[in-house]
Amino acid sequence: MNVVFNGETTQLNTPNLREFIVAKGAKEPFAVAVNGEFVPRSQCADTELKVGDRIDLLSPIQGG
Amino acid sequence: MRENTPLTIYGETFSNRLLIGSALYPSPKIMQQSIVAAGSQIVTVSLRRQNSVAAGEDFWQLIKDTGLTVLPNTAGCHSVKEVVTLAKMCREVFATDWIKLELIGDEYNLQPDPIALLEATEILLNDGFKVLPYCTDDLVLCQRLATLGCEVLMPWGAPIGTGKGLLNPYNLTTIRERLPDMTLIVDAGLGLPSHACQALEMGYDAVLLNSAIAGAGCPVLMATAFSHAVSAGRAAYVAQAMPEKEVAVPSTPTMGMPFWHQ
């Protein structure tokens, strides 16, 4: 029951996306994508994760 | 003399014409001081995975404290899908529909992919984004981007981070002449304040740079130098340069010259 979180394989401890990112310690500000598709924050609580999904949690960094 | 209209980006006006990046500075403090020295009103930022998901918090607070307008970029994207996804994530995090659209087509010189750029630009404009595409200095590409509805274009001066300046002034001048109402910003490749001055003298509305300041021996002083250069270039454009001539014309009056043609 694994997924890939920010490029690293990790156990899927809950199928709910919102619960998953909270369990990962996500703090504002951030945005989420699953399998390369943006998931608006308003939809995270209604998004179910599957085994093998790729979850990306992005935060602001410096940019040119 | 030309009219000195303000820099306009999708209906918003700015008095400063130096857009500045937030990367590569020796320290966050020097970044802040450099931004202040440049007098910039617009700063570029990005999104990445964080090793610690809280790591972005401090940087974002620093940027928010500047009070500047934020321009998120899609640096590092290589496909339409990547760039569209990252743009949407930027819109949510930074609460802006502005996006500096970077879609790399060649890893060696980080040249934008013009074909994919058109496709991505159309998708994002239709989704309500205000797209600022980073593009090559190709007139037809710029015309196509304008036709799609872009109100700002950002042709490169030279490949990102090279500091080579305006490699093809003819192309850049042609784009300026053929798209007279478009907001044009030279983005990338500048190394010296004279490069920025040259772009503004050509009639470009602004420049966007990062490495030239952040990579200088003293970024804060270089930011000041770029600020002066941009002001000088704009003033020269508004003032209109004298016509260039092929032969010498004396500036000192010849009337009353002693020993004349003896």
Side-chain angles (χ1 to χ4, degrees):
Chain A
M1 290 289 284
N2 287 339
V3 291
V4 179
F5 175 68
N6 276 358
E8 294 186 4
T9 301
T10 185
Q11 192 166 4
L12 182 62
N13 43 21
T14 168
N16 182 273
L17 177 58
R18 183 176 176 280
E19 292 174 7
F20 177 84
I21 58 179
V22 168
K24 286 293 178 187
K27 290 182 180 175
E28 299 286 357
F30 65 84
V32 186
V34 176
N35 299 325
E37 298 285 350
F38 169 59
V39 180
R41 295 291 289 280
S42 58
Q43 295 177 17
C44 285
D46 300 323
T47 300
E48 295 292 306
L49 296 172
K50 304 183 302 295
V51 171
D53 277 349
R54 291 176 292 110
I55 302 107
D56 283 293
L57 187 70
L58 306 190
S59 292
I61 63 152
Q62 301 85 345
Chain B
M1 181 169 159
R2 296 183 173 100
E3 186 183 359
N4 191 16
T5 54
L7 170 64
T8 303
I9 297 179
Y10 286 98
E12 293 186 47
T13 57
F14 300 87
S15 56
N16 183 274
R17 296 173 184 276
L18 174 50
L19 287 69
I20 194 167
S22 57
L24 303 173
Y25 294 90
S27 71
K29 185 178 180 185
I30 291 176
M31 176 193 76
Q32 281 182 311
Q33 292 173 338
S34 299
I35 291 171
V36 170
S40 298
Q41 294 173 292
I42 299 169
V43 61
T44 54
V45 293
S46 197
L47 285 180
R48 285 291 183 276
R49 289 170 176 164
Q50 301 287 330
N51 292 330
S52 158
V53 290
E57 224 174 347
D58 292 342
F59 166 72
W60 181 226
Q61 190 58 51
L62 275 178
I63 293 297
K64 282 199 294 186
D65 289 345
T66 66
L68 302 184
T69 298
V70 169
L71 174 57
N73 72 30
T74 59
C77 289
H78 288 74
S79 70
V80 172
K81 183 180 179 184
E82 283 178 7
V83 91
V84 168
T85 296
L86 193 57
K88 290 177 179 176
M89 297 174 87
C90 284
R91 180 162 62 180
E92 185 174 74
V93 168
F94 298 113
T96 177
D97 48 15
W98 284 17
I99 191 74
K100 178 190 166 188
L101 194 59
E102 291 186 48
L103 208 172
I104 299 305
D106 184 87
E107 197 58 47
Y108 180 72
N109 64 357
L110 301 179
Q111 181 167 336
D113 179 335
I115 299 156
L117 184 67
L118 284 171
E119 184 183 345
T121 297
E122 185 167 24
I123 290 168
L124 292 171
L125 286 170
N126 288 337
D127 195 21
F129 281 90
K130 292 168 178 167
V131 180
L132 293 82
Y134 166 59
C135 57
T136 47
D137 53 8
D138 182 283
L139 173 63
V140 177
L141 171 62
C142 289
Q143 288 173 322
R144 295 283 175 85
L145 288 164
T147 301
L148 287 177
C150 288
E151 295 183 18
V152 180
L153 300 178
M154 302 206 297
W156 67 356
I160 295 170
T162 60
K164 289 181 177 294
L166 308 184
L167 289 182
N168 200 329
Y170 174 81
N171 276 14
L172 291 170
T173 301
T174 303
I175 293 166
R176 177 68 290 174
E177 289 173 351
R178 296 293 298 279
L179 297 171
D181 299 324
M182 175 68 69
T183 295
L184 293 174
I185 300 170
V186 170
D187 177 14
L190 305 187
L192 292 169
S194 55
H195 300 154
C197 189
Q198 185 185 7
L200 272 291
E201 286 173 356
M202 283 180 181
Y204 274 72
D205 297 283
V207 292
L208 193 164
L209 52 93
N210 192 154
S211 306
I213 291 176
C218 178
V220 179
L221 186 56
M222 188 59 85
T224 304
F226 266 100
S227 176
H228 290 316
V230 167
S231 297
R234 179 63 183 179
Y237 173 73
V238 171
Q240 290 184 295
M242 60 161 277
E244 191 175 314
K245 300 182 179 73
E246 292 302 318
V247 295
V249 179
S251 50
T252 303
T254 53
M255 189 73 77
M257 177 71 187
F259 328 121
W260 189 241
H261 291 175
Q262 287 182 358

